[in-house]
């Protein structure tokens, strides 16, 4: 008889405060150079360098019922929006441009033991700037909680390194429409606490497995069993079926252009 995975409940004590530091570095890499022409983008900085939050805000990242390692759940909009406002005052979780299935806020239990629980999450959001929008590829991160103390040990929300952003700017004074451009996102991060050393967990999956579980929540294309072109051509020959080829000029797995 197959043994079902253990489920655990996760909670936080609302009576404590967590101080979170925010960072947005100047944009340096963009084509065309909107970061030099558009004041709102040139001056894009974190709204608040440090801010205190009630632990109740971080409950938005916890499930409402017991979960097993690998399970995923939706993050509550209100708590996530409160944190996103530390970046910029006008975050948009409905997405300025939405291809259909990419809106969302999801978390996954990556690991736990008697002391800690490690939650991985991914959020898609756009930020309203004067005369336009700033859309990072994704906002990803970790929430580590102390289970007995019901406290936040570590929290990080950031745009992953070497990923892109895109902007939509009403460049022309007649407001005839948006002009679009992209670039490599600088440091954009919220951070508190100290990352715990590698711990022996009762149950766990890898970071990559957790990220895979989350990305499949956002994009139906990620549920396809993709193979290389070489494998596809070999399969087509064996099965006597044609290969349907599609050329795209952007990513299938994030919100950047």
């Amino acid at each position: 008889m197959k043994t079902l995975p253990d489920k655990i409940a996760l909670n936080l004590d609302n009576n404590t405060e967590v101080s979170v530091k925010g960072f947005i570095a100047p944009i340096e890499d963009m084509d065309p150079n909107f970061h030099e022409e558009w004041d709102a983008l040139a001056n894009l900085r974190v709204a608040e360098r440090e801010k205190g939050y009630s632990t109740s805000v971080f409950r938005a990242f916890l499930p409402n019922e017991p979960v097993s390692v690998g399970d995923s759940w939706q993050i509550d909009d209100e708590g996530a929006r409160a944190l996103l406002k530390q970046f910029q005052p006008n975050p948009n979780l409905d997405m300025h441009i939405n291809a259909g299935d990419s809106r969302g806020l999801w978390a996954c239990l990556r690991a736990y033991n008697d002391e800690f629980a490690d939650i991985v999450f991914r959020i898609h959001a756009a930020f309203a700037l004067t005369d336009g929008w700033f859309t990072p590829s994704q906002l990803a991160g970790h929430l580590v909680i102390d289970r007995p103390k019901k406290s936040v040990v570590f929290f990080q929300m950031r745009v992953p390194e070497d990923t892109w952003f895109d902007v939509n700017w009403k460049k022309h004074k007649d407001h005839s429409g948006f002009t679009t451009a992209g670039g490599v996102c600088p440091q954009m991060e919220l951070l508190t606490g100290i990352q715990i050393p590698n711990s022996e967990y009762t149950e766990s999956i890898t970071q990559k497995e957790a990220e895979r579980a989350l990305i499949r929540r956002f994009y139906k294309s990620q549920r396809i069993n993709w193979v290389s072109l070489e494998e596809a051509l070999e399969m087509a020959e064996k099965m006597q079926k044609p290969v349907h080829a599609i050329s795209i000029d952007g990513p299938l797995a994030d919100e950047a252009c």
Side-chain angles (χ1 to χ4, degrees), residues 17-22 48-53 82-83 85-86:
E17 184 175 279
V18 178
S19 180
V20 177
K21 294 182 179 180
E48 296 184 74
R49 292 179 181 272
E50 190 164 2
K51 183 176 181 181
Y53 296 91
L83 287 159
K85 285 182 177 180
Q86 189 171 346

Side-chain angles (χ1 to χ4, degrees), residues 35-54:
H35 62 306
E36 297 176 0
E37 302 176 31
W38 180 14
D39 287 345
L41 198 60
N43 298 314
L44 182 65
R45 300 293 186 274
V46 68
E48 296 184 74
R49 292 179 181 272
E50 190 164 2
K51 183 176 181 181
Y53 296 91
S54 165

